[in-house]
Every structure is written in structure tokens, then in C-alpha cells.
Amino acid sequence: MLKVPTRQKNDRNGDTKTTKAVILVGGPSRGTRFRPLSLDVPKPLFDVAGHPIIWHCLGAVAKVPGIREVILVGYYDEAVFRDFIKDSAKEFPQIRIQYLREYQALGTAGGLYHFRDAILKGGPERFFVLNADVCCSFPLNEMLSLFEDKDAEAVILGTRVSNDAASNFGCIVSDGHTKRVLHYVEKPESHISNLINCGVYLFSTETIFPSIKSAIKRRTDRPRLVSYPSSENLDSSFFSDRLEDGEKNEVLRLEQDILSDLADSKQFFVHETKDFWRQIKTAGSAVPANALYLQKAFQSQSDELTPPSANILPPVYIHPSADVDPTAKLGPNVSIGPRATIGAGVRVKESIVLEDVEIKHDACVLYSIIGWSSRIGAWARVEGTPTPVSSHTTSIVKNGVKVQSITILGKECGVGDEDVTNEVIM
């Protein structure tokens, strides 16, 4: 069994502790489930509720006092995030943002270890790790409070799902009183708990990097002849390269290789969120994520949202450059992108309309994503099928076949006048 290093207890009367954040963004060789949208824009930069997916992570990090540096880790080309980082530096001037590119997919733990020197620069005592494809309220301050109260080595964000859905995620067995993680299993074959891993962590630097190093050594000394379940961001084959200390650097995942052993440390705790959470894996899952983020913005009375009216059923986001006819009826849970044109008598509900889209008069768009520069004809109907709010999938079964419930039009698609389009991906 992997030996988890322990650390000395902090002096609570000492200096203020330094905290950083790492956002894992994945890379282009995966993300096939987000097609056709990921063919034209990397998934972390796809707009949901008026902002790129990764922006919601960054915005949450910016609300944690004391964080001055955020590191994006992935294997996209460096140019992909250049404009986003430049724009975010203006919006969050207190935070230094940098992107570090893996030479190949290293896994959620392998990427952290590969860039450990950059993460450890400045001597942070702990750092957050967020998966960019997570949609939630990101209760980071609450996780930090638990971390300090328990003098923890790691804190994981958890949430409750139905028993049937739980086996699709990493499952956490915890002590309900102390919140200590007793056991962790990634995608168990049988039911052990309905408390699941949300993909958001807070680690002590003194513990996590030695733990990963121990896992690498164990892998090198006793190679695992196993095939892990496929994952969107990770390759199941082993990539190897020599580290400076002579150990092999292979694909290592927090979920499969590290967390179960951290549970043995007795200083691994879970913060259970009662707020919304879901993954943004498939293209269709952007629609419920859009709804959740819009509802959050509405509850916080964000001035980015369009004020309610007879034809605006909140929450609705309309980009300032969009042209919406006053007789069009929008909402709830609708985002309209830059330079979009919405004609007279149009109805849009539970949908994302991207930039430069034209929807002609009296068309109807429901439970759909309308891709960049697409055209919807007059009196046309583009419609998906709603899924339960509690569901963690946007697939439905029709005539014994699993199909995507959300209608998705990619870039520069067209729907003719009076045409009807139901549950399709174009």
C-alpha cells in the first residue's frame, strides 16, 4: 500500500499561509464527446451563460482571499489561451495567470507533479485543484475553512446523487460527524455510497507531491498491467519519460492512483455541497450548465442579465452587441451571443445561441445550441427534449436507442423556412 507522507501541524498563530490554484484544462486529443462544438473552439473556452467555461472556475478562485496566482495546466497549444489570459488579467488584476503545457497527456496527478516546481514557487502551503469541465458554485472558501479547522492534508468537494448514478463517479465513504474520508473508490462496480467526487480539491503541498512521487515509485517497482476506464482527458496507455531523479513519469490520475491512499492518512476530509453540481462532458450538457450558471447569476442579482419583462422570462443573458426584436420572447435559461440577430415573434427557451447567429421571424428554438454563424429560417422549429433537473446525463432512450436529447447545430448550419429539426446533431 502506498505510504502517505504526513506533515507537521501548522502554527495557527504564525504567518498568513499562501494559497495557489491550479485549473486542469485537458487537451485537444480528447473532448470528442463535446463535438461538434469542440471542432471550432476548445471546450474550456466554450461560452456558457455568457462566459467561457473556464471563466466560471477563475471567477470562483478570484473570490478566495489571498490567492495571487492561478496556473492552467493542459496540453493545448500555448496560443489557445493567450487571448483569454490577456482578457482575464484585466478583469482579475490581483491574480497572475499562466498556462503550462504538458508535452503529452500526463493525467490529473501526473500533470501536477510534472509542474511541481512552478506550483511550489513562492512557498505555498496549499493549493486548489479544479477540473475545468465542472459546473458548480465552487464553495472554495468553505473548503478552505474546513482545511484549516481540521488541519487537513487534503479536502475534496463532494455531493449527493441518486444511487443509480453514483457508480458513474468516484464514490466517497465518510464519517458524517467528523467529515473525514474513510474510503474512496473510482467508479465502483457495486454500490458503496452516493456521495461522489466533484472534481475540486484542496491539497497540502507537503503531502500531495510526496504522495504522487510514492505512486510513481510503486508503479515503477511493480508495473500495473491494467486498463483503466476511458476518460475524456486521459489516455489509458502509459506514456513514460525519465525524471531527473531517474524515476519513470507515467500517466497518473488523482482519482485512480492517489485519492484512495490519501484516505488512509486520516487527514483527508470532504466538504459536502448542497448547491448545484454537474459535469460538462458532452456538448448537450452545456445547456443544463448554462441554466445553472444563469440561475446563480439571477439569484445574486447580477447586472449582466437582461431585466425581466413581458417577453423576457428570467434568467436571460443577451450580449450587448446582439439585436433582439422587442416582440421576441426569450427564457427562461437562455444565452444570446455577440452579434446574434433574433427576429420578430421568435421564441427561444432553455437554449444557447452563439455569436453571429440569425434567427428569422416566428422561428422557435427549444432545448438547443445554435452554433456560430448559423441561420434559422422563418417559422422553423429547432427543438430538443428536456431532461430531469436531477439527471446527470442529457441522453434519452427512444425506441430502444440512446440518443442525445439536446439539438445541437455546429458552425454555419442552416435550417430552412418552416423546417422542423428534432433531437439532431449537425
Side-chain angles (χ1 to χ4, degrees):
M1 179 176 289
L2 183 154
K3 184 178 179 181
V4 178
T6 58
R7 62 189 178 91
Q8 296 181 349
K9 294 205 170 189
N10 293 320
D11 179 5
R12 295 185 182 273
N13 297 319
D15 296 333
T16 301
K17 302 171 186 64
T18 307
T19 310
K20 288 188 179 183
V22 176
I23 301 177
L24 304 176
V25 299
S29 64
R30 293 288 170 173
T32 54
R33 284 186 284 175
F34 206 70
R35 291 178 181 174
L37 304 176
S38 58
L39 296 174
D40 295 288
V41 65
K43 183 170 74 169
L45 297 180
F46 181 80
D47 278 355
V48 168
H51 294 281
I53 290 171
I54 191 175
W55 179 91
H56 297 280
C57 302
L58 187 58
V61 169
K63 294 177 182 178
V64 180
I67 291 186
R68 295 291 177 263
E69 184 175 0
V70 175
I71 299 172
L72 314 182
V73 173
Y75 51 103
Y76 289 101
D77 186 82
E78 286 88 346
V80 166
F81 294 100
R82 190 172 297 149
D83 290 342
F84 173 78
I85 291 174
K86 184 178 179 180
D87 293 341
S88 298
K90 297 176 183 177
E91 186 172 1
F92 307 106
Q94 77 279 18
I95 296 178
R96 177 176 179 260
I97 307 168
Q98 64 172 322
Y99 173 64
L100 299 179
R101 183 186 182 186
E102 301 172 0
Y103 59 93
Q104 59 193 11
L106 298 174
T108 48
L112 295 178
Y113 193 76
H114 184 69
F115 292 115
R116 63 194 181 279
D117 289 343
I119 297 171
L120 291 170
K121 186 177 180 180
E125 294 198 2
R126 62 272 177 113
F127 65 100
F128 286 98
V129 176
L130 293 77
N131 283 283
D133 59 359
V134 165
C135 165
C136 70
S137 58
F138 295 106
L140 304 184
N141 283 308
E142 290 86 342
M143 292 176 67
L144 186 56
S145 295
L146 178 63
F147 188 93
E148 293 177 338
D149 291 344
K150 300 292 187 180
D151 198 34
E153 294 170 350
V155 171
I156 184 174
L157 183 65
T159 192
R160 300 281 177 180
V161 299
S162 67
N163 290 342
D164 291 339
S167 61
N168 296 316
F169 304 95
C171 293
I172 304 164
V173 178
S174 66
D175 184 313
H177 178 66
T178 66
K179 301 182 180 179
R180 186 168 75 84
V181 176
L182 305 175
H183 191 46
Y184 180 88
V185 180
E186 183 67 15
K187 298 180 180 176
E189 294 183 0
S190 58
H191 176 74
I192 65 167
S193 171
N194 68 343
L195 180 61
I196 65 164
N197 177 3
C198 290
V200 180
Y201 314 96
L202 178 56
F203 293 121
S204 159
T205 53
E206 291 183 6
T207 298
I208 190 61
F209 292 117
S211 296
I212 298 173
K213 184 176 181 179
S214 296
I216 294 172
K217 188 175 188 303
R218 178 180 63 179
R219 175 78 60 80
T220 304
D221 294 343
R222 183 169 51 87
R224 292 181 176 181
L225 300 178
V226 300
S227 175
Y228 288 117
S230 60
S231 172
E232 175 157 359
N233 296 326
L234 310 171
D235 196 315
S236 62
S237 62
F238 293 153
F239 297 100
S240 64
D241 191 29
R242 303 303 293 183
L243 291 176
E244 58 189 12
D245 59 1
E247 295 174 340
K248 278 189 175 183
N249 184 9
E250 296 171 325
V251 173
L252 279 173
R253 282 151 279 197
L254 290 168
E255 301 80 8
Q256 286 95 337
D257 301 304
I258 306 298
L259 296 184
S260 60
D261 294 294
L262 276 179
D264 297 326
S265 73
K266 298 184 180 181
Q267 289 303 113
F268 183 21
F269 296 88
V270 56
H271 173 73
E272 182 180 338
T273 178
K274 305 296 184 182
D275 211 342
F276 68 91
W277 177 88
R278 71 175 300 133
Q279 291 177 304
I280 308 176
K281 291 293 186 184
T282 64
S285 63
V287 168
N290 180 69
L292 291 170
Y293 277 138
L294 286 175
Q295 289 162 16
K296 177 189 174 188
F298 185 69
Q299 290 167 3
S300 63
Q301 298 182 327
S302 170
D303 57 8
E304 288 188 336
L305 299 184
T306 303
S309 68
N311 284 334
I312 299 295
L313 308 180
V316 172
Y317 169 83
I318 301 176
H319 191 274
S321 64
D323 180 14
V324 178
D325 189 280
T327 64
K329 189 170 185 177
L330 309 182
N333 303 320
V334 167
S335 292
I336 306 295
R339 301 176 303 280
T341 301
I342 312 297
V346 166
R347 179 71 174 104
V348 183
K349 175 183 177 181
E350 301 282 352
S351 297
I352 300 174
V353 177
L354 297 171
E355 61 187 64
D356 297 311
V357 166
E358 180 184 7
I359 304 180
K360 293 187 176 181
H361 68 87
D362 298 298
C364 183
V365 176
L366 310 173
Y367 302 97
S368 301
I369 298 175
I370 311 300
W372 310 268
S373 302
S374 292
R375 300 290 179 264
I376 309 299
W379 295 98
R381 188 176 184 92
V382 179
E383 185 175 3
T385 299
T387 54
V389 175
S390 60
S391 174
H392 285 274
T393 178
T394 53
S395 297
I396 58 174
V397 177
K398 297 189 71 173
N399 300 321
V401 179
K402 182 184 280 189
V403 297
Q404 176 63 247
S405 65
I406 303 297
T407 289
I408 301 167
L409 306 188
K411 187 177 183 179
E412 298 177 351
C413 291
V415 177
D417 293 351
E418 301 183 22
D419 283 354
V420 176
T421 304
N422 287 328
E423 296 160 3
V424 300
I425 299 177
M426 297 174 62

